[in-house]
Amino acid sequence: MMNNSGRSRSIYSELTELRNKSRRLEESLDSIYTGCDQSLLKELFACAASAIVILDKNGGILFSNKAFSNLTGYDPEESLNCALHEIITPPNDTEGREYLRNLFQGPTSKTSQSLSIIDKYGHIHFVDLSVATISSALSCREKCICIFHDVTAEKEAEVRREELIEELMEVKELQEDNAAQLATLLHELDEKNYALEQEIAERKRAEQKLKESEERFKYMSITDQLTGLYNRRHMLEVAEKEIYMSRKTELPLSILLMDVDDFKIFNDTYGHAAGDVVLQSIGTIIKKTIREQDKAFRYGGEEFLVILPETNGQQAMKVAESIRAALETYEYRPQMGEPVSKTISIGVAEFTLNESLEKAIKRADDNMYRCKIKGKNRVYFSCE
């Protein structure tokens, strides 16, 4: 049986181990925070809808975003290193300034306040203010983050509601002997509230339709309407991004450039409507064959281009062969009678270090031309 002395040592050991684990966890969290992409965090803060300010330990402004400039009228450069408690309170409000100064510099780790502030031009704004102290176990430096949510409109609406309630009470006191007239007034108020609710609902529906229209327009602007693939203009944007990521990650990147064999003869024989059916089916076959991260484009006329991230030339050849084989076995019936098959020639190119998009497409086009020379309906890849 363990005596009291042994039990005390055991408890002390457990407490020591818990403290060590807590310290290691805190150091790990600080390490993760330190390794964060600060430029990304700064961009997120800058684009936030709420006004955000980061202060040093003396209450001076280290960073402010665009929403803060819109709220107070002070540009980020203008407010830099200024004491926040001084620029959002009137000069003669010494008590208010002292209160905010203590709030921003105090030991409180997190608090929320509702208060009024003034902007650069002396206009009053009502805000909900959240203040939090940011501290690090690996550094004695402390910062303070302040988030302002402008509730001026809500405050004014609340005041207006209170005024309306007071008016109603006065009317009720003056006309207690006329219940019918009071009921009429209340009925009118209900109708106005209902009309306002209907107006708000209609505005929300209009905003949703506008959003859907914008998304539909964006989709149509980057999509080839016949094949359902992306268009050539969008290809240039996507390609530049993928080239940048390939260089950054040092992962391979390949493209496929394909051309339908004897497409003009097919069009002259069966008509452009039948040719459109061929192009549509090729778009469907390509989308079914490639991965989700791959991107397919109608490059022009009967030419198609596929961008394959994280794929080398040999792997790209397998994808190209799958597309070629699937199209070869696909049957068309442009007229009554025997089915017709179409084939495609595919040139493969893998991006090399610091190679431009134009050069890579030129190599893929040369490889596709070799397919045509060798008899069409084939895939060709050359490292040269």
Side-chain angles (χ1 to χ4, degrees):
M1 181 178 299
M2 183 181 296
N3 56 29
N4 290 336
S5 176
R7 187 179 297 108
S8 298
R9 286 195 298 271
S10 176
I11 294 174
Y12 176 78
S13 298
E14 292 178 0
L15 289 174
T16 301
E17 180 63 21
L18 286 174
R19 291 193 188 99
N20 292 335
K21 289 182 178 179
S22 176
R23 184 171 63 255
R24 288 194 297 271
L25 177 59
E26 186 175 357
E27 291 174 353
S28 177
L29 290 175
D30 284 338
S31 176
I32 293 172
Y33 174 76
T34 303
C36 285
D37 188 346
Q38 295 185 6
S39 62
L40 176 58
L41 293 176
K42 186 174 181 180
E43 181 67 19
L44 291 174
F45 282 167
C47 299
S50 298
I52 299 177
V53 180
I54 297 179
L55 310 177
D56 60 24
K57 63 181 181 179
N58 296 319
I61 297 177
L62 298 174
F63 168 82
S64 62
N65 66 353
K66 183 178 180 181
F68 180 78
S69 299
N70 295 337
L71 175 64
T72 64
Y74 292 97
D75 294 333
E77 296 80 5
E78 186 179 5
S79 61
L80 186 64
N81 296 324
C82 292
L84 178 59
H85 64 276
E86 292 182 357
I87 67 174
I88 64 174
T89 54
N92 58 350
D93 187 5
T94 55
E95 183 179 348
R97 287 191 172 188
E98 182 66 17
Y99 173 77
L100 289 180
R101 186 181 71 82
N102 293 332
L103 180 65
F104 298 149
Q105 299 179 17
T108 303
S109 60
K110 186 175 183 182
T111 184
S112 298
Q113 303 278 336
S114 294
L115 67 157
S116 61
I117 64 172
I118 63 167
D119 60 18
K120 181 179 179 180
Y121 311 103
H123 301 143
I124 297 177
H125 300 268
F126 296 94
V127 298
D128 287 341
L129 171 63
S130 296
V131 181
T133 301
I134 308 171
S135 61
S136 171
L138 300 180
S139 175
C140 61
R141 297 181 60 189
E142 290 191 349
K143 294 181 178 65
C144 175
I145 182 171
C146 304
I147 302 177
F148 297 82
H149 178 57
D150 190 354
V151 294
T152 303
E154 292 87 339
K155 189 70 175 180
E156 292 175 349
E158 182 180 354
V159 172
R160 181 55 184 158
R161 281 198 301 271
E162 292 177 354
E163 292 175 351
L164 289 174
I165 292 173
E166 291 179 1
E167 292 175 4
L168 281 175
M169 294 303 297
E170 291 177 1
V171 171
K172 183 178 180 181
E173 292 174 358
L174 293 173
Q175 299 183 357
E176 285 182 349
D177 57 341
N178 195 341
Q181 185 176 354
L182 179 59
T184 301
L185 291 174
L186 292 174
H187 179 68
E188 291 177 355
L189 180 61
D190 288 340
E191 287 183 342
K192 290 180 180 179
N193 286 336
Y194 178 75
L196 179 60
E197 291 174 356
Q198 293 296 105
E199 182 181 350
I200 293 173
E202 183 63 29
R203 184 176 299 176
K204 288 182 178 180
R205 286 193 290 268
E207 290 175 352
Q208 180 62 29
K209 288 182 179 179
L210 178 61
K211 182 179 179 181
E212 292 173 354
S213 297
E214 290 175 348
E215 293 175 351
R216 183 165 57 253
F217 177 77
K218 180 180 179 181
Y219 173 79
M220 292 176 64
S221 69
I222 64 175
T223 305
D224 175 64
Q225 300 303 306
L226 177 63
T227 63
L229 304 179
Y230 294 119
N231 57 30
R232 181 168 181 166
R233 182 179 61 180
H234 188 54
M235 182 274 295
L236 297 175
E237 178 182 349
V238 173
E240 291 300 332
K241 291 181 179 179
E242 292 296 343
I243 292 172
Y244 171 78
M245 289 302 300
S246 176
R247 292 171 180 168
K248 181 179 179 181
T249 60
E250 298 183 356
L251 293 174
L253 175 67
S254 298
I255 59 172
L256 311 179
L257 185 61
M258 53 194 79
D259 182 86
V260 183
D261 296 328
D262 302 320
F263 187 70
K264 185 178 183 306
I265 297 175
F266 185 89
N267 266 352
D268 293 342
T269 303
Y270 300 106
H272 290 281
D276 288 346
V277 173
V278 172
L279 297 177
Q280 288 172 342
S281 64
I282 293 174
T284 302
I285 289 171
I286 292 174
K287 285 190 289 187
K288 287 182 178 180
T289 306
I290 63 178
R291 304 166 301 179
E292 183 178 355
Q293 64 265 37
D294 301 331
K295 298 294 185 294
F297 309 85
R298 186 181 181 187
Y299 192 62
E302 67 273 19
E303 288 187 324
F304 300 86
L305 187 144
V306 178
I307 298 176
L308 303 171
E310 302 180 17
T311 306
N312 61 33
Q314 296 299 326
Q315 294 168 332
M317 282 192 64
K318 295 180 180 179
V319 178
E321 179 59 27
S322 298
I323 296 173
R324 187 207 63 77
L327 179 61
E328 183 182 33
T329 58
Y330 194 89
E331 293 183 347
Y332 304 90
R333 295 183 181 272
Q335 295 178 356
M336 298 298 294
E338 293 296 323
V340 179
S341 297
K342 288 303 298 172
T343 60
I344 198 165
S345 298
I346 306 176
V348 181
E350 178 182 347
F351 278 85
T352 60
L353 184 63
N354 297 325
E355 183 177 29
S356 66
L357 174 63
E358 292 76 12
K359 288 185 177 180
I361 293 178
K362 176 63 168 59
R363 289 198 295 109
D365 187 65
D366 291 342
N367 289 340
M368 182 180 69
Y369 184 68
R370 290 186 177 94
C371 294
K372 299 290 187 181
I373 295 175
K374 292 178 178 291
K376 306 173 184 178
N377 188 27
R378 64 190 64 230
V379 175
Y380 189 86
F381 167 62
S382 172
C383 298
E384 298 178 359

